[in-house]
Amino acid sequence: MSALAEFDLVIRGGTVATASDTFRADVGIRDGRIVALAEGLETGGEVIDASGKLVLPGGIEAHCHIEQESGMGLMPADDYRSGSISAAFGGNSCFVPFAGQRRGMTIAETVALYDSRAAPKSVIDYSYHLIVTDPTELALTTELPEAFARGITSFKVFMTYDQAKIDDGQFLDILAVAKAHGALTMVHAENDAMIEWISRRLLDAGHTEPRYHAVSHPALAEEEAIHRAISLARLVDAPLLVVHVSTPGGAKLVRDARRSGAKVFGETCPQYLFLTRDDLDRPGREGAKFICSPPLRDRATQEALWGHVQSGTFSLVSSDHAPYRFDQSGKFHAGPDASFRQIANGMPGIEMRLPLLFSEGVNKGRITLNQFVALSATNAARIYGMYPAKGTIAIGADADIAIWDAGEVRIAGEMHDAMDYNPYLGFEVTGWPVTVLNRGNRIVDGGELCASPGDGRFVVRKPVDLTGMPGHRADELNPEKNFGAKIAP
Ligand code: DUC
Ligand code: ZN
Ligand code: ZN
């Protein structure tokens, strides 16, 4: 092989950034992987001119609901084709939607169902987090370990919603099984009884409009549940990731747990950084577009959450893309006058996540470019067991790369998802991905889709990375201190 044919593709002249460093280098790619980082790489193969651009790891969207029935049995607008395409246009080359177990279904059936949905359609690499709603003996002893063995190494539980919630004992069982296998438990933490109690009173008094959704999910409901979830995880010294944290109180609980060495991670979402509950009060029924759980809060909350993004409380800023159209197929599936309890819960954002975070974070000086890379890809890769194949630009890594024009200004409009609205419509956003690669293949380039459904591959994930998180065993579960009793793995 001649020296000039050494690479299939060279990305030339750009500024490369990882979670720790920023440097000028060409990127040499062969067989889908990065094989050289140096200035002046020559090739007889293809060249992408990235001069004046940023060359970043492709984003990893680690929280999105794609072709997944909601608790109400409602299918969101995006399947694995449209969802992955929208993700790609937003600078992502990998995503991890949820595979939701419906009660009565086994874990194996759930995984097989999502394989059949994702494999023929995804244009980017993918895995799933397994939502566990029915932790039977079979699930705990056999099926969760089997899912883990095939590379699904994160399990999510709900503390609210009748169709999904588990009790504290079941939560402990799942935490203990996950811990025993190196898996990570994720949690939607809100106090179910508080939400039910307030909702009932609001509805009885005739308060049905979208704005009451925020009233019915008080900050205290989140804080209480996060405190409980962290306590349960600490009891068995198991890793825990609190998804979509929306309150300063919740963020502080995550921060304090992390400072004490507990194996706790936190995630927040763009909607809590860029929107407020005032959006629920838009005229007519438009507020329905902004119903999501936990709900939008206020400006002071936005500021506080930004502080936690900056200081590292949050390892992830994920979209929580839960796309329900503003019509009877989605938001108003229960009718045009549906109460806040019946309106479909969730909003889109998979394509806006990274441009918003770049524009408001990096370009406005709130976070560094390297923090952006960590939040967009590297932390997700580490936490969810995909590093260093994914989430960084390094020799040997998959050539999952997003080339960004840091100065491109666009007014947010229609996205590439299957939605009929964009909650960030009209936002001026500076900095957009212009070319996105997945394993060295262009998937988006100059506004065009270059990939085909089915090009994405399932990513076999490894155990959660707990580097720097010593944890601590509760004395009562330590055989040296509890008279030799063996209680948990
Ligand atoms: N939780 C999510 O994570 N997404 C959509 C709705 C919800 O309650
Ligand atoms: Zn949730
Ligand atoms: Zn979600």
Side-chain angles (χ1 to χ4, degrees), residues 296-350:
L296 304 178
R297 311 284 181 185
D298 58 13
R299 289 242 169 259
T301 298
Q302 288 184 344
E303 286 313 307
L305 294 180
W306 266 113
H308 286 283
V309 170
Q310 291 164 320
S311 63
T313 300
F314 295 123
S315 305
L316 305 170
V317 176
S318 309
S319 73
D320 197 1
H321 182 76
Y324 300 102
R325 290 169 65 94
F326 189 62
D327 61 23
Q328 71 290 348
S329 73
K331 287 287 178 186
F332 300 111
H333 69 105
D337 300 319
S339 76
F340 69 87
R341 287 283 281 178
Q342 300 162 310
I343 292 171
N345 197 3
M347 65 169 76
I350 203 164

Side-chain angles (χ1 to χ4, degrees), residues 326-375:
F326 189 62
D327 61 23
Q328 71 290 348
S329 73
K331 287 287 178 186
F332 300 111
H333 69 105
D337 300 319
S339 76
F340 69 87
R341 287 283 281 178
Q342 300 162 310
I343 292 171
N345 197 3
M347 65 169 76
I350 203 164
E351 197 167 335
M352 293 293 301
R353 169 182 82 111
L354 295 180
L356 281 170
L357 188 62
F358 190 92
S359 188
E360 293 295 313
V362 182
N363 278 337
K364 296 227 169 124
R366 289 181 170 113
I367 54 173
T368 65
L369 179 59
N370 308 102
Q371 280 176 300
F372 172 79
V373 171
L375 290 164

